[in-house]
């Protein structure tokens, strides 16, 4: 999208979501982008300070959203443009046609066409996607488990916050927390680990304090230099996937504690730290933590009926993956010996 920075000096455009984290299920997946530029930033800051009414803010943002949409409609390589200014995070939806700018027929929807969502000032989503990407890069097996859980949850129709289940982002947080408890990956937000790595938050770096939050974290290279996994036995991604299902279907005390990537297994965040939480599970956002000015429980929207349905799916997946492992072992081991094939998570009880 080279036209945006050129026509709007000071504008920035960042990819977030599965394309940034490296967890896209297919080349044709939608691309999520965050657009930020000075005028929109000033509006947001003025509104946050109480300098303008909600009605005036919405009116100004509506004007900006439609202006950006018209700008993009003026190009032959953009189609199906749709401005959605009423959303909590305003967005412009559309379709990118890479060949149209070179004279190809824009109605053929040739190879490389991509649906996209351009959100406005969604920097926190860029930061969270970057954090997930670092965990993806920590261990290739963790990425394999993430991809499998994404496909499985999508097939089970339990991956939509809009319809009172868990978002894909929430599932990825659950995988990371499981991997932390199993000793497969470190806590990239651990202050002790940061000190060992000689890394510290830079107040001049806007990506270290998005929305006034502590959004600083270690890269996988920084963590690898000072952290070593306590797990000495190699375990396959298949065994780790079963471990994930077993962890949440059997081991994790979700009625007492919340999943918390930022605190890790030693954090022991009580579920009641959130004023309102689902009976099924509480999942603390890594940056919008329970003690921040904007706490966010990624599982808070799950209603009781869907919570029970998700738990049934986890239990069924645990049983199926267990039988699959037994089949792979050809009966050479009893089922009670299977525990040696996946990590025993460290629960901070």
């Amino acid at each position: 999208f080279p036209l945006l920075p050129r026509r709007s000096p000071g504008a920035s455009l960042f990819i977030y979501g599965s394309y940034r984290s490296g967890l896209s299920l297919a080349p044709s997946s939608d691309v999520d982008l965050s657009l930020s530029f000075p005028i929109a930033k000033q509006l947001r800051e003025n509104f946050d300070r109480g300098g303008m009414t909600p009605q005036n803010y919405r009116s100004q943002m509506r004007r900006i959203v439609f202006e950006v949409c018209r700008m993009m409609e003026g190009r032959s390589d953009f189609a199906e443009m749709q401005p959605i200014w009423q959303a909590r995070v305003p967005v412009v939806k559309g379709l990118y046609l890479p060949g149209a700018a070179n004279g190809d027929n824009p109605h053929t929807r040739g190879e490389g066409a991509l649906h996209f969502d351009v959100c406005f000032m969604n920097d926190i989503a860029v930061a969270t996607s970057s954090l997930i990407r670092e965990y993806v890069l920590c261990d290739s097996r963790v990425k394999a488990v993430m991809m499998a859980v994404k496909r499985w949850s999508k097939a089970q129709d339990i991956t939509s916050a809009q319809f009172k289940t868990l978002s894909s982002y929430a599932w990825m947080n659950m995988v990371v927390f499981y991997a932390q408890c199993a000793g497969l990956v470190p806590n990239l937000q651990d202050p002790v680990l940061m000190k060992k790595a000689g890394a510290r938050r830079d107040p001049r770096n806007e990506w270290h304090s998005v929305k006034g939050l502590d959004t600083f974290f270690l890269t996988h290279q920084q963590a690898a230099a000072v952290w070593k996994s306590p797990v000495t036995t190699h375990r396959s991604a298949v065994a780790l996937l079963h471990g994930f299902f077993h962890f949440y279907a059997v081991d994790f005390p979700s009625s007492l504690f919340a999943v918390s990537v930022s605190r890790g297994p030693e954090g022991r965040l009580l579920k009641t730290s959130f004023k309102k939480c689902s009976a099924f599970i509480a999942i603390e956002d890594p940056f919008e933590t329970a003690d921040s000015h904007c706490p966010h429980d990624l599982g808070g929207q799950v209603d009781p009926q869907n919570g029970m349905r998700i738990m049934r799916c986890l239990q069924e997946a645990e049983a199926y993956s267990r039988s699959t492992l037994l089949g792979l072992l050809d009966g050479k081991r009893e089922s009670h010996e299977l525990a040696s094939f996946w990590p025993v998570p460290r629960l901070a009880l």
Side-chain angles (χ1 to χ4, degrees):
F1 297 90
L3 80 162
L4 293 173
R6 186 172 66 245
R7 295 190 183 183
S8 302
S12 58
L13 192 66
F14 294 95
I15 293 177
Y16 68 94
S18 60
Y19 269 90
R20 188 173 190 90
S21 63
L23 296 171
S24 177
L25 290 178
S28 59
S29 298
D30 292 0
V31 179
D32 298 310
L33 303 134
S34 176
L35 172 64
S36 180
F37 48 93
I39 295 177
K41 277 187 174 182
Q42 290 169 10
L43 276 176
R44 170 68 66 81
E45 292 170 359
N46 193 19
F47 174 69
D48 290 342
R49 290 195 303 265
M52 61 192 309
T53 64
Q55 295 82 358
N56 191 18
Y57 175 72
R58 284 195 294 268
S59 175
Q60 294 295 323
M61 282 304 302
R62 179 179 183 273
R63 180 182 62 80
I64 291 174
V65 170
F66 275 88
E67 184 176 335
V68 170
C69 186
R70 284 193 297 269
M71 186 188 307
M72 299 174 76
E73 283 177 328
R75 289 177 59 103
S76 60
D77 46 356
F78 291 132
E80 301 178 11
M81 302 305 303
Q82 180 185 4
I84 302 176
W85 62 273
Q86 310 98 320
R88 183 177 65 89
V89 178
V91 59
V92 173
K93 292 178 173 288
L95 180 68
Y96 176 55
L97 307 169
N102 299 323
D104 295 349
N105 186 344
H107 302 290
T108 59
R109 305 292 190 268
E111 185 178 354
L114 286 173
H115 286 278
F116 62 84
D117 293 349
V118 177
C119 293
F120 289 75
M121 298 174 296
N122 200 8
D123 291 345
I124 193 65
V126 178
T128 53
S129 300
S130 300
L131 175 64
I132 295 296
R133 175 176 174 77
E134 292 303 323
Y135 279 111
V136 165
L137 295 172
C138 282
D139 191 312
S140 60
R141 295 170 300 168
V142 173
K143 178 179 181 179
V145 173
M146 286 181 171
M147 297 295 284
V149 170
K150 283 193 72 170
R151 290 186 181 277
W152 166 81
S153 60
K154 187 175 182 180
Q156 299 296 322
D157 195 25
I158 50 174
T159 180
S160 172
Q162 180 182 356
F163 295 106
K164 308 297 183 182
T165 60
L166 293 172
S167 66
S168 177
Y169 173 57
W171 283 109
M172 296 306 96
N173 271 264
M174 290 173 66
V175 175
V176 171
F177 183 70
Y178 158 68
Q180 289 176 336
C181 291
L184 299 174
V185 298
N187 178 357
L188 298 180
Q189 295 170 271
D190 181 7
V192 176
L193 206 61
M194 290 179 180
K195 188 175 181 179
K196 288 182 179 179
R200 63 181 63 184
R201 179 183 178 188
D202 184 354
R204 297 167 298 179
N205 189 332
E206 61 180 17
W207 290 106
H208 290 181
S209 56
V210 177
K211 286 179 61 177
L213 300 164
D214 184 359
T215 52
F216 176 62
F217 54 86
L218 295 175
T219 65
H220 68 284
Q221 299 102 323
Q222 290 174 317
V226 294
W227 182 85
K228 184 178 181 180
S229 172
V231 179
T232 56
T233 305
H234 179 77
R235 296 173 175 94
S236 70
V238 174
L240 295 177
L241 179 61
H242 174 270
F244 169 83
F245 291 131
H246 187 87
F247 182 63
Y248 287 108
V250 180
D251 291 335
F252 183 65
S254 59
S255 61
L256 296 175
F257 297 107
V259 170
S260 177
V261 167
S262 65
R263 301 168 197 269
E266 290 82 13
R268 296 196 301 176
L269 178 67
L270 290 173
K271 193 173 182 179
T272 51
S273 300
F274 293 99
K275 292 182 179 180
K276 182 181 177 181
C277 59
S278 164
F280 165 59
I281 198 168
I283 306 169
E284 183 185 44
D285 186 273
F287 300 135
E288 296 174 324
T289 56
D291 54 0
S292 71
H293 64 82
C294 52
H296 186 192
D297 173 14
L298 301 174
Q301 75 287 339
V302 178
D303 58 29
Q305 182 178 356
N306 279 312
M308 290 187 290
R309 185 163 69 92
I310 294 171
M311 180 54 73
R312 283 197 302 270
C313 290
L314 286 166
Q315 291 168 344
E316 290 170 1
E318 193 278 335
Y320 180 80
S321 58
R322 175 184 288 270
S323 65
T324 299
L325 280 175
L326 282 172
L328 291 174
L329 294 172
D330 295 324
K332 294 177 182 178
R333 289 175 179 265
E334 299 295 331
S335 60
H336 68 270
E337 293 181 296
L338 278 175
S340 63
F341 278 79
W342 63 79
V344 178
R346 299 170 292 124
L347 293 180
L349 301 178

